[in-house]
Amino acid sequence: MAVFPIRVFGDPVLRTPAEPVEEFSSAYERLIEDMLETMYEAPGVGLAAPQIGISKQIFVADVGDGPFVMFNPEIVETSDSWAFDEGCLSVPGYFWEIERPGFARARGYDINGDAIEVSGDELMGRVLQHEIDHLNGMLLLERLPRRTKKQALRELREAALRSTGP
Ligand code: NI
């Protein structure tokens, strides 16, 4: 297994909608193991393939009751509302209170190409929405109110400038 470097804010792969997986095969087993190891090492509760530079519709997650993977997932139902201090491995060190639906249900496929459904509220609902946003080329910044987003983008750009020098 291997731990991948995680792509961070500013990397264009994070803004690119990921390609659906057309052929399911055991060739993905190794990738899934590496994604899980990368996620646990970070540590995080979810990781989408674009975050390691692979623009495919795959994410892994573990909110505390065991790891799972979804291929080509989509949100099919949401309800309620929940405010939560949300972070992202691709925007390290930042947390924002973001309000989203509290419950989410997602449909997708497992590694064999069999249809699966995953649903939950609170952290599970949040992870499903957050990871599927990644696969649509969207970071959590897009979920911030306009003024907070503007401020956050300014801070992130300044931090990026500091880290790369003048
Ligand atoms: Ni994220």
Coordinates of all heavy atoms in Angstrom, one line a residue, residues 81-155:
S81 N -31.6 20.0 8.0 CA -30.5 21.0 7.9 C -29.6 20.8 9.1 O -30.1 20.6 10.2 CB -31.2 22.4 7.8 OG -30.2 23.3 7.8
W82 N -28.3 21.0 8.9 CA -27.3 20.8 9.9 C -26.1 21.7 9.7 O -25.6 21.7 8.6 CB -26.9 19.3 10.0 CG -26.1 18.9 11.2 CD1 -26.3 19.3 12.5 CD2 -24.9 18.2 11.2 NE1 -25.3 18.7 13.3 CE2 -24.4 18.0 12.5 CE3 -24.1 17.5 10.1 CZ2 -23.3 17.3 12.9 CZ3 -23.0 16.8 10.5 CH2 -22.6 16.7 11.8
A83 N -25.8 22.5 10.7 CA -24.6 23.3 10.7 C -23.5 22.6 11.3 O -23.6 22.0 12.4 CB -24.8 24.6 11.4
F84 N -22.3 22.5 10.7 CA -21.2 21.7 11.1 C -19.9 22.4 10.7 O -19.8 23.0 9.7 CB -21.3 20.3 10.5 CG -20.1 19.4 10.8 CD1 -20.0 18.9 12.1 CD2 -19.2 19.0 9.8 CE1 -18.9 18.0 12.4 CE2 -18.2 18.2 10.1 CZ -18.0 17.7 11.4
D85 N -18.9 22.4 11.6 CA -17.6 22.9 11.3 C -16.9 21.9 10.4 O -16.3 20.9 10.8 CB -16.7 23.1 12.6 CG -17.0 24.4 13.3 OD1 -17.4 25.4 12.6 OD2 -16.8 24.5 14.5
E86 N -16.9 22.3 9.1 CA -16.5 21.4 8.1 C -15.0 21.8 7.6 O -14.7 22.9 7.5 CB -17.4 21.5 6.9 CG -17.3 20.5 5.8 CD -18.4 20.5 4.8 OE1 -19.6 20.8 5.2 OE2 -18.1 20.2 3.6
G87 N -14.2 20.7 7.4 CA -12.9 20.9 6.9 C -12.7 20.0 5.7 O -13.5 19.3 5.3
C88 N -11.5 20.1 5.1 CA -11.2 19.4 3.9 C -9.7 19.1 3.9 O -8.9 20.1 4.1 CB -11.6 20.1 2.6 SG -11.2 19.3 1.1
L89 N -9.3 17.9 3.6 CA -7.8 17.6 3.5 C -7.1 18.4 2.4 O -5.9 18.6 2.5 CB -7.6 16.1 3.2 CG -8.1 15.1 4.3 CD1 -8.0 13.7 3.9 CD2 -7.4 15.4 5.6
S90 N -7.9 18.9 1.4 CA -7.3 19.7 0.4 C -7.2 21.2 0.7 O -6.7 22.0 -0.1 CB -8.1 19.5 -0.9 OG -7.9 18.2 -1.4
V91 N -7.8 21.6 1.9 CA -7.7 22.9 2.3 C -7.3 22.8 3.8 O -8.0 23.2 4.7 CB -9.1 23.7 2.2 CG1 -8.9 25.2 2.4 CG2 -9.7 23.4 0.9
P92 N -6.0 22.3 4.0 CA -5.6 21.9 5.4 C -5.6 23.1 6.3 O -5.1 24.2 5.9 CB -4.3 21.3 5.2 CG -3.8 21.8 3.8 CD -5.0 22.0 3.0
G93 N -6.0 22.9 7.5 CA -5.9 23.9 8.6 C -7.1 24.8 8.7 O -7.1 25.7 9.6
Y94 N -8.1 24.7 7.8 CA -9.2 25.6 7.8 C -10.5 24.8 8.1 O -10.7 23.7 7.6 CB -9.4 26.3 6.5 CG -8.3 27.3 6.2 CD1 -7.1 26.9 5.6 CD2 -8.5 28.6 6.4 CE1 -6.1 27.8 5.3 CE2 -7.5 29.6 6.2 CZ -6.3 29.1 5.6 OH -5.3 30.0 5.3
F95 N -11.3 25.5 8.9 CA -12.7 24.9 9.2 C -13.7 26.0 9.1 O -13.4 27.1 9.6 CB -12.7 24.3 10.6 CG -11.9 23.0 10.7 CD1 -10.6 23.0 11.0 CD2 -12.5 21.8 10.4 CE1 -9.8 21.9 11.1 CE2 -11.8 20.6 10.5 CZ -10.4 20.6 10.8
W96 N -14.8 25.8 8.5 CA -15.8 26.8 8.4 C -17.2 26.1 8.8 O -17.4 25.0 8.4 CB -16.0 27.3 7.0 CG -14.9 28.1 6.5 CD1 -14.6 29.4 6.8 CD2 -13.8 27.7 5.6 NE1 -13.4 29.8 6.2 CE2 -12.9 28.8 5.5 CE3 -13.5 26.5 5.0 CZ2 -11.8 28.7 4.7 CZ3 -12.4 26.4 4.2 CH2 -11.5 27.5 4.1
E97 N -18.0 26.9 9.5 CA -19.3 26.4 9.8 C -20.1 26.4 8.5 O -20.3 27.5 8.0 CB -20.0 27.2 10.9 CG -21.3 26.5 11.3 CD -22.0 27.3 12.5 OE1 -22.6 28.3 12.2 OE2 -21.9 26.8 13.6
I98 N -20.6 25.3 8.1 CA -21.3 25.2 6.8 C -22.7 24.5 7.1 O -22.7 23.5 7.7 CB -20.5 24.5 5.7 CG1 -19.2 25.3 5.4 CG2 -21.4 24.3 4.5 CD1 -18.4 24.6 4.4
E99 N -23.7 25.1 6.6 CA -25.0 24.5 6.8 C -25.4 23.8 5.5 O -25.3 24.3 4.4 CB -26.1 25.6 7.1 CG -27.4 25.0 7.6 CD -28.2 26.1 8.3 OE1 -27.7 27.0 8.9 OE2 -29.5 26.0 8.1
R100 N -25.7 22.5 5.7 CA -26.1 21.7 4.6 C -27.3 20.8 5.1 O -27.5 20.7 6.2 CB -25.0 20.7 4.1 CG -23.7 21.4 3.7 CD -22.9 20.2 3.0 NE -21.5 20.5 2.8 CZ -21.0 20.3 1.6 NH1 -21.7 19.9 0.5 NH2 -19.7 20.6 1.4
P101 N -27.9 20.1 4.1 CA -28.9 19.1 4.6 C -28.3 18.1 5.6 O -27.1 17.7 5.5 CB -29.3 18.4 3.3 CG -29.1 19.4 2.2 CD -27.9 20.2 2.7
G102 N -29.0 17.8 6.7 CA -28.5 16.9 7.7 C -28.5 15.4 7.2 O -27.6 14.7 7.6
F103 N -29.5 15.1 6.4 CA -29.6 13.7 5.9 C -29.3 13.7 4.4 O -29.7 14.6 3.7 CB -31.0 13.2 6.2 CG -31.2 11.8 5.6 CD1 -30.9 10.6 6.2 CD2 -31.8 11.7 4.3 CE1 -31.1 9.4 5.6 CE2 -32.0 10.5 3.7 CZ -31.7 9.3 4.4
A104 N -28.6 12.7 4.0 CA -28.3 12.5 2.6 C -28.4 11.0 2.2 O -27.9 10.1 3.0 CB -27.0 13.1 2.2
R105 N -28.9 10.7 1.0 CA -28.8 9.4 0.5 C -28.1 9.4 -0.8 O -28.4 10.3 -1.7 CB -30.3 8.8 0.3 CG -30.4 7.4 -0.2 CD -31.8 7.0 -0.5 NE -32.7 7.3 0.5 CZ -32.9 6.5 1.6 NH1 -32.2 5.4 1.7 NH2 -33.8 6.8 2.5
A106 N -27.2 8.5 -1.0 CA -26.4 8.5 -2.3 C -26.5 7.1 -2.9 O -26.6 6.1 -2.2 CB -24.9 8.8 -2.0
R107 N -26.6 7.1 -4.2 CA -26.6 5.9 -5.0 C -25.3 5.8 -5.9 O -24.9 6.9 -6.4 CB -27.8 5.8 -5.9 CG -29.0 5.3 -5.2 CD -30.1 4.9 -6.1 NE -31.4 4.9 -5.3 CZ -32.5 5.4 -5.6 NH1 -32.6 6.1 -6.8 NH2 -33.6 5.4 -4.8
G108 N -24.8 4.6 -6.0 CA -23.6 4.5 -6.8 C -23.3 3.0 -7.0 O -24.3 2.2 -7.0
Y109 N -22.1 2.7 -7.1 CA -21.7 1.3 -7.4 C -20.5 0.9 -6.6 O -19.7 1.7 -6.2 CB -21.3 1.1 -8.9 CG -22.4 1.5 -9.8 CD1 -22.6 2.8 -10.2 CD2 -23.3 0.5 -10.2 CE1 -23.7 3.1 -11.0 CE2 -24.4 0.8 -11.0 CZ -24.6 2.1 -11.4 OH -25.7 2.4 -12.2
D110 N -20.4 -0.4 -6.3 CA -19.2 -0.9 -5.6 C -18.2 -1.3 -6.6 O -18.4 -1.1 -7.8 CB -19.6 -2.0 -4.6 CG -20.1 -3.3 -5.3 OD1 -19.9 -3.4 -6.5 OD2 -20.6 -4.2 -4.6
I111 N -17.1 -1.9 -6.1 CA -16.0 -2.2 -7.0 C -16.3 -3.3 -8.1 O -15.7 -3.4 -9.1 CB -14.7 -2.6 -6.2 CG1 -13.5 -2.5 -7.1 CG2 -14.9 -4.0 -5.6 CD1 -12.2 -2.6 -6.3
N112 N -17.4 -4.0 -7.8 CA -17.8 -5.1 -8.8 C -18.8 -4.5 -9.8 O -19.3 -5.3 -10.7 CB -18.5 -6.2 -8.0 CG -17.5 -6.9 -7.0 OD1 -16.4 -7.2 -7.4 ND2 -18.0 -7.1 -5.8
G113 N -19.2 -3.2 -9.6 CA -20.2 -2.7 -10.5 C -21.6 -2.9 -10.1 O -22.6 -2.7 -10.8
D114 N -21.8 -3.4 -8.8 CA -23.1 -3.7 -8.3 C -23.7 -2.4 -7.7 O -22.9 -1.7 -7.0 CB -23.1 -4.8 -7.3 CG -22.8 -6.1 -7.9 OD1 -23.2 -6.4 -9.0 OD2 -22.1 -6.9 -7.2
A115 N -24.9 -2.1 -7.9 CA -25.5 -0.9 -7.4 C -25.6 -0.9 -5.9 O -25.9 -2.0 -5.3 CB -26.9 -0.7 -8.0
I116 N -25.2 0.2 -5.3 CA -25.3 0.3 -3.8 C -25.9 1.6 -3.4 O -25.9 2.6 -4.2 CB -23.9 0.2 -3.1 CG1 -22.9 1.2 -3.7 CG2 -23.4 -1.2 -3.2 CD1 -21.6 1.3 -2.9
E117 N -26.4 1.6 -2.2 CA -27.0 2.9 -1.7 C -26.4 3.1 -0.3 O -26.3 2.1 0.5 CB -28.5 2.7 -1.6 CG -29.3 4.0 -1.5 CD -30.8 3.7 -1.6 OE1 -31.3 3.7 -2.7 OE2 -31.4 3.6 -0.5
V118 N -26.0 4.3 0.0 CA -25.5 4.6 1.3 C -26.2 5.9 1.8 O -26.4 6.8 1.0 CB -24.0 4.9 1.3 CG1 -23.5 5.3 2.7 CG2 -23.2 3.7 0.7
S119 N -26.7 5.9 3.0 CA -27.4 7.0 3.5 C -27.0 7.2 5.0 O -26.5 6.3 5.7 CB -28.9 6.9 3.3 OG -29.3 5.8 4.1
G120 N -27.3 8.4 5.5 CA -27.1 8.7 6.9 C -27.3 10.2 7.2 O -27.4 11.0 6.3
D121 N -27.3 10.5 8.5 CA -27.4 11.9 8.8 C -26.1 12.3 9.5 O -25.2 11.6 9.6 CB -28.7 12.2 9.7 CG -28.8 11.3 10.9 OD1 -27.8 10.7 11.3 OD2 -29.9 11.2 11.4
E122 N -26.1 13.6 10.0 CA -25.0 14.2 10.6 C -23.7 13.9 9.8 O -23.6 14.1 8.6 CB -24.9 13.8 12.1 CG -26.2 14.2 12.7 CD -26.1 14.6 14.2 OE1 -25.3 14.0 14.9 OE2 -26.9 15.4 14.7
L123 N -22.7 13.2 10.5 CA -21.4 13.1 9.8 C -21.4 12.3 8.5 O -20.8 12.6 7.5 CB -20.3 12.5 10.8 CG -18.9 12.5 10.3 CD1 -18.4 14.0 10.0 CD2 -17.9 12.0 11.4
M124 N -22.2 11.2 8.6 CA -22.3 10.4 7.3 C -23.0 11.2 6.2 O -22.5 11.2 5.1 CB -23.1 9.1 7.6 CG -23.4 8.3 6.4 SD -21.8 7.7 5.6 CE -21.8 6.0 6.3
G125 N -24.0 11.9 6.5 CA -24.7 12.8 5.5 C -23.7 13.8 5.0 O -23.7 14.1 3.8
R126 N -22.9 14.4 5.9 CA -22.0 15.4 5.5 C -20.9 14.9 4.6 O -20.5 15.5 3.6 CB -21.4 16.0 6.8 CG -20.5 17.2 6.5 CD -21.2 18.4 5.8 NE -22.4 18.8 6.6 CZ -22.5 20.0 7.0 NH1 -21.6 20.9 6.9 NH2 -23.7 20.4 7.7
V127 N -20.4 13.7 4.9 CA -19.3 13.2 4.1 C -19.8 12.8 2.7 O -19.1 13.1 1.7 CB -18.7 11.9 4.9 CG1 -17.8 11.1 3.9 CG2 -17.9 12.4 6.1
L128 N -21.0 12.2 2.6 CA -21.5 11.9 1.3 C -21.6 13.2 0.4 O -21.1 13.2 -0.7 CB -22.9 11.3 1.4 CG -22.9 9.9 2.1 CD1 -24.4 9.5 2.3 CD2 -22.2 8.8 1.2
Q129 N -22.1 14.2 1.0 CA -22.3 15.5 0.2 C -20.9 16.1 -0.1 O -20.7 16.5 -1.2 CB -23.1 16.5 1.0 CG -24.5 16.0 1.2 CD -25.3 16.9 2.2 OE1 -25.7 18.0 1.8 NE2 -25.5 16.4 3.4
H130 N -20.0 16.1 0.9 CA -18.7 16.7 0.7 C -17.9 15.9 -0.4 O -17.3 16.5 -1.3 CB -17.9 16.7 2.0 CG -16.6 17.3 2.0 ND1 -16.3 18.5 2.6 CD2 -15.4 16.8 1.4 CE1 -15.0 18.7 2.4 NE2 -14.4 17.8 1.7
E131 N -17.9 14.6 -0.3 CA -17.1 13.8 -1.3 C -17.6 13.9 -2.7 O -16.9 13.9 -3.7 CB -16.9 12.4 -0.8 CG -16.2 12.2 0.5 CD -14.9 13.0 0.7 OE1 -14.2 13.1 -0.3 OE2 -14.7 13.5 1.8
I132 N -19.0 13.9 -2.8 CA -19.6 13.9 -4.1 C -19.4 15.3 -4.7 O -19.2 15.5 -5.9 CB -21.1 13.5 -4.0 CG1 -21.1 11.9 -3.7 CG2 -21.8 13.8 -5.3 CD1 -22.4 11.3 -3.4
D133 N -19.4 16.4 -3.9 CA -19.0 17.7 -4.4 C -17.6 17.6 -5.0 O -17.3 18.2 -6.1 CB -18.9 18.7 -3.2 CG -20.3 19.4 -2.9 OD1 -21.2 19.1 -3.7 OD2 -20.3 20.2 -2.0
H134 N -16.6 16.9 -4.3 CA -15.3 16.8 -4.9 C -15.3 16.2 -6.3 O -14.6 16.7 -7.2 CB -14.4 15.9 -4.0 CG -13.7 16.6 -2.9 ND1 -12.8 17.6 -3.1 CD2 -13.7 16.4 -1.6 CE1 -12.3 18.0 -2.0 NE2 -12.8 17.3 -1.0
L135 N -16.2 15.2 -6.5 CA -16.2 14.5 -7.8 C -16.9 15.4 -8.8 O -16.7 15.2 -10.0 CB -17.0 13.2 -7.6 CG -16.4 12.2 -6.6 CD1 -17.2 10.9 -6.6 CD2 -14.9 11.9 -6.9
N136 N -17.6 16.4 -8.4 CA -18.2 17.4 -9.3 C -17.3 18.6 -9.5 O -17.7 19.6 -10.0 CB -19.6 17.8 -8.8 CG -20.6 16.7 -9.0 OD1 -20.5 15.9 -9.9 ND2 -21.4 16.5 -8.0
G137 N -16.0 18.5 -8.9 CA -15.1 19.6 -9.1 C -15.3 20.8 -8.2 O -15.0 21.9 -8.5
M138 N -15.9 20.5 -7.0 CA -16.3 21.5 -6.1 C -15.7 21.4 -4.7 O -15.8 20.3 -4.2 CB -17.9 21.5 -6.0 CG -18.5 22.8 -5.5 SD -20.2 22.6 -5.2 CE -20.8 22.5 -6.9
L139 N -15.1 22.4 -4.2 CA -14.6 22.4 -2.9 C -15.6 23.0 -1.9 O -16.5 23.7 -2.3 CB -13.3 23.2 -2.8 CG -12.0 22.6 -3.5 CD1 -10.9 23.6 -3.4 CD2 -11.7 21.3 -2.8
L140 N -15.4 22.8 -0.6 CA -16.3 23.2 0.4 C -16.5 24.8 0.4 O -17.5 25.3 0.8 CB -16.0 22.7 1.8 CG -14.8 23.4 2.5 CD1 -14.7 22.8 4.0 CD2 -13.5 23.2 1.9
L141 N -15.5 25.5 -0.2 CA -15.5 26.9 -0.3 C -16.8 27.4 -1.0 O -17.3 28.4 -0.8 CB -14.3 27.4 -1.0 CG -13.0 27.2 -0.3 CD1 -11.8 27.2 -1.3 CD2 -12.8 28.2 0.8
E142 N -17.2 26.6 -2.0 CA -18.4 26.9 -2.8 C -19.6 26.8 -2.0 O -20.7 27.3 -2.5 CB -18.5 25.9 -4.0 CG -17.3 25.8 -4.9 CD -16.9 27.2 -5.5 OE1 -17.8 27.9 -5.8 OE2 -15.7 27.4 -5.7
R143 N -19.6 26.2 -0.8 CA -20.8 26.1 0.0 C -20.8 27.2 1.1 O -21.7 27.2 1.9 CB -20.8 24.7 0.7 CG -20.8 23.6 -0.3 CD -22.1 23.5 -1.1 NE -22.2 22.4 -1.9 CZ -23.2 22.1 -2.7 NH1 -24.2 23.0 -2.8 NH2 -23.2 21.1 -3.5
L144 N -19.8 28.1 1.1 CA -19.8 29.2 2.0 C -20.7 30.3 1.6 O -20.9 30.6 0.4 CB -18.4 29.7 2.2 CG -17.4 28.8 2.9 CD1 -16.0 29.4 2.8 CD2 -17.8 28.5 4.3
P145 N -21.3 31.1 2.5 CA -22.0 32.3 2.1 C -21.0 33.2 1.4 O -19.8 33.2 1.6 CB -22.4 32.9 3.4 CG -22.3 31.9 4.5 CD -21.3 30.9 4.0
R146 N -21.6 34.1 0.5 CA -20.7 34.8 -0.5 C -19.6 35.6 0.2 O -18.5 35.6 -0.2 CB -21.6 35.7 -1.3 CG -20.9 36.1 -2.6 CD -21.9 36.7 -3.6 NE -22.6 37.8 -3.0 CZ -23.0 38.8 -3.7 NH1 -22.9 38.9 -5.0 NH2 -23.6 39.8 -3.1
R147 N -20.0 36.3 1.3 CA -19.0 37.2 2.0 C -17.9 36.3 2.6 O -16.7 36.7 2.5 CB -19.7 38.1 3.0 CG -18.8 39.0 3.7 CD -19.5 39.9 4.6 NE -20.4 40.8 3.9 CZ -21.0 41.9 4.4 NH1 -20.8 42.2 5.7 NH2 -21.8 42.6 3.7
T148 N -18.3 35.3 3.3 CA -17.3 34.4 4.0 C -16.4 33.8 2.9 O -15.2 33.6 3.1 CB -18.1 33.3 4.7 OG1 -19.2 33.8 5.4 CG2 -17.1 32.6 5.7
K149 N -17.0 33.4 1.8 CA -16.2 32.8 0.7 C -15.1 33.8 0.2 O -14.0 33.4 0.0 CB -17.1 32.4 -0.4 CG -16.4 31.7 -1.6 CD -17.3 31.4 -2.7 CE -16.6 31.1 -4.0 NZ -17.5 30.8 -5.1
K150 N -15.5 35.0 0.0 CA -14.6 36.0 -0.5 C -13.4 36.2 0.4 O -12.2 36.2 0.0 CB -15.3 37.4 -0.6 CG -15.2 38.0 -2.0 CD -16.1 39.2 -2.1 CE -15.3 40.4 -2.5 NZ -16.1 41.6 -2.6
Q151 N -13.7 36.3 1.7 CA -12.7 36.4 2.7 C -11.8 35.2 2.8 O -10.6 35.3 2.9 CB -13.4 36.6 4.1 CG -12.5 36.4 5.3 CD -12.2 37.7 6.0 OE1 -12.9 38.6 5.9 NE2 -11.0 37.7 6.6
A152 N -12.4 34.0 2.7 CA -11.7 32.7 2.8 C -10.7 32.6 1.6 O -9.5 32.2 1.7 CB -12.6 31.5 2.8
L153 N -11.2 33.0 0.4 CA -10.4 32.9 -0.8 C -9.2 33.9 -0.7 O -8.0 33.5 -1.1 CB -11.2 33.3 -2.1 CG -12.2 32.2 -2.5 CD1 -13.0 32.7 -3.7 CD2 -11.4 30.9 -3.0
R154 N -9.4 35.1 -0.1 CA -8.3 36.0 0.0 C -7.3 35.4 1.0 O -6.1 35.4 0.7 CB -8.9 37.3 0.6 CG -7.9 38.5 0.5 CD -8.5 39.8 1.1 NE -9.8 40.1 0.5 CZ -10.8 40.4 1.2 NH1 -10.7 40.5 2.6 NH2 -12.0 40.8 0.7
E155 N -7.7 34.9 2.1 CA -6.8 34.3 3.1 C -6.0 33.1 2.4 O -4.8 33.0 2.6 CB -7.5 33.7 4.3 CG -7.9 34.7 5.3 CD -8.6 34.0 6.5 OE1 -8.3 32.9 6.8 OE2 -9.6 34.6 6.9

